[in-house]
Structure formats: structure tokens, C-alpha cells
Amino acid sequence: MDRCLAEPDGPPPVTLAEWLRAAGADADEYARAACAVNRWMAPYGSSRAATSDLVARLTAGEPFTAVVR
């Protein structure tokens, strides 16, 4: 079930400063990121394993846009 409140429209901010600036300018910034993650997790049944894999890959330096394809 797609529960998105805002459609992702490009890559999300990367640094904390970019997130703060983007979210300060657009209240839907976090909703778009949540939508992208929710859609990425859908084939995995929103499992803990999918979440752990996402975090591990991001921590390893993979770009968010590459991980959520």
C-alpha cells in the first residue's frame, strides 16, 4: 500500500545543513524522503532486514538514490 503524502522529485539532501535548509524551505521534504524509503521497502515487506540493509548501505557510503532504486 502506497502511503506517500508527497512524491519524491529528485535526490534528497545529503548533509545536515542541506536537510535543515531544504526542510526549512519546504515542509514536504521529509514526506518525500519517507515516501522514497517506503517504496524501496515495499518489496521486502517493510521488514527489519530491509531497514538494516538500507542503513548498512548508506553507512557504507552508497548514495541514497542508488540504494532506493
Side-chain angles (χ1 to χ4, degrees):
M1 175 179 182
D2 193 343
R3 298 170 50 181
C4 292
L5 300 177
E7 286 291 320
D9 59 359
V14 176
T15 67
L16 176 59
E18 290 172 356
W19 271 105
L20 294 174
R21 188 172 34 258
D26 184 353
D28 286 336
E29 190 64 41
Y30 287 106
R32 282 191 290 279
C35 180
V37 172
N38 184 56
R39 288 180 179 169
W40 176 83
M41 290 178 64
Y44 303 101
S46 301
S47 70
R48 273 189 186 195
T51 305
S52 294
D53 180 59
L54 172 66
V55 172
R57 291 174 67 185
L58 293 173
T59 300
E62 286 189 58
F64 182 81
T65 52
V67 174
V68 297
R69 287 182 193 198

